[in-house]
Amino acid sequence: DTEVTQTPKHLVMGMTNKKSLKCEQHMGHRAMYWYKQKAKKPPELMFVYSYEKLSINESVPSRFSPECPNSSLLNLHLHALQPEDSALYLCASSQAGTENSNQPQHFGDGTRLSIL
Amino acid sequence: GEDVEQSLFLSVREGDSSVINCTYTDSSSTYLYWYKQEPGAGLQLLTYIFSNMDMKQDQRLTVLLNKKDKHLSLRIADTQTGDSAIYFCAERSPGGSYIPTFGRGTSLIVHP
């Protein structure tokens, strides 16, 4: 079992749909992350939130829109996605701040996204 | 920039030891992590080591760090079929960005 919970586990959507991915953690972590992972590849960082503020956006297309409504929740809103966006989307959390930079990230099990 | 290298595949017989290797280039790397990813799942943190340590042991897992050669290894004793997965090495440098850099992952295949 993972302490970072992601829903849904699987999502199939058309290119004109709007959907959201959700992530929740109750470990008191104040840094939360979205990663995209293609098969047999390492995760690629998309966004980082620190203390509920967006701190890193790795030049992600605007069809991906992150949101951090509170310290436990992280959403990823999807709109007008392309077939190449099909991937496993992973959420992670960790302690925030440079004094905690030794603390590891904890990952959820991901949402498997397929774009038709 | 940082670079983390791993071999892509390792095949071992059940009951043998597995050794997964990782090299990194950033000499200021202070924190090094091993993650396991089973099919259809996320990344599970297995263990981590700080650069002021040479070795860390946790049950069947032994991590060795050679700072001079910037080489990290993960040894799994008595490898079982349930250990079949992709293993990612990751490093993180102090200060600045606290985002880890991941290696490409090593696929461990355990056969009877």
Side-chain angles (χ1 to χ4, degrees):
Chain A
D1 285 342
T2 178
E3 295 167 312
V4 178
T5 304
Q6 290 188 243
T7 55
K9 291 193 185 305
H10 303 275
L11 180 61
V12 180
M13 56 188 287
M15 289 189 283
T16 58
N17 292 157
K18 284 185 183 181
K19 295 285 184 184
S20 297
L21 309 185
K22 297 187 182 302
C23 174
E24 187 169 4
Q25 57 87 17
H26 294 289
M27 294 180 281
H29 291 167
R30 301 300 294 278
M32 295 186 77
Y33 313 76
W34 279 116
Y35 285 87
K36 174 183 178 181
Q37 187 182 29
K38 290 283 203 179
K40 309 290 187 190
K41 300 287 187 186
E44 299 171 30
L45 184 68
M46 299 174 73
F47 302 104
V48 181
Y49 274 83
S50 180
Y51 299 101
E52 295 84 70
K53 288 185 169 39
L54 183 65
S55 60
I56 295 177
N57 175 344
E58 290 287 328
S59 303
V60 179
S62 59
R63 57 187 184 268
F64 295 92
S65 175
E67 178 197 19
C68 190
N70 61 54
S71 60
S72 300
L73 293 175
L74 185 67
N75 298 321
L76 185 63
H77 303 297
L78 314 173
H79 175 54
L81 295 195
Q82 304 298 308
E84 62 266 26
D85 297 322
S86 297
L88 180 67
Y89 287 83
L90 293 165
C91 173
S93 70
S94 72
Q95 301 279 10
T98 54
E99 70 278 13
N100 290 312
S101 58
N102 59 328
Q103 296 303 308
Q105 295 174 312
H106 295 259
F107 284 81
D109 281 336
T111 294
R112 177 76 57 190
L113 177 66
S114 299
I115 307 299
L116 301 178
Chain B
E2 308 96 350
D3 197 17
V4 178
E5 294 289 338
Q6 298 178 244
S7 54
L8 291 182
F9 299 100
L10 177 64
S11 179
V12 300
R13 194 176 298 276
E14 190 174 15
D16 288 350
S17 292
S18 308
V19 180
I20 302 171
N21 295 301
C22 171
T23 57
Y24 56 96
T25 58
D26 189 344
S27 57
S28 66
S29 294
T30 303
Y31 316 117
L32 297 130
Y33 310 89
W34 283 105
Y35 286 90
K36 174 185 180 183
Q37 186 174 33
E38 297 184 48
L43 274 67
Q44 173 196 353
L45 178 69
L46 283 180
T47 186
Y48 56 101
I49 191 168
F50 301 148
S51 60
N52 60 356
M53 300 164 68
D54 296 322
M55 186 183 90
K56 182 177 180 181
Q57 188 154 3
D58 183 2
Q59 298 182 334
R60 291 191 298 124
L61 305 178
T62 303
V63 179
L64 294 178
L65 176 60
N66 181 329
K67 291 183 285 292
K68 174 175 169 290
D69 295 337
K70 300 195 194 87
H71 181 266
L72 181 74
S73 67
L74 173 70
R75 178 175 180 270
I76 305 173
D78 187 25
T79 312
Q80 303 296 307
T81 54
D83 295 322
S84 294
I86 299 177
Y87 290 80
F88 289 99
C89 168
E91 67 86 25
R92 181 186 261 180
S93 303
S97 166
Y98 41 85
I99 308 303
T101 300
F102 287 88
R104 290 187 300 169
T106 299
S107 288
L108 175 64
I109 300 164
V110 183
H111 52 90

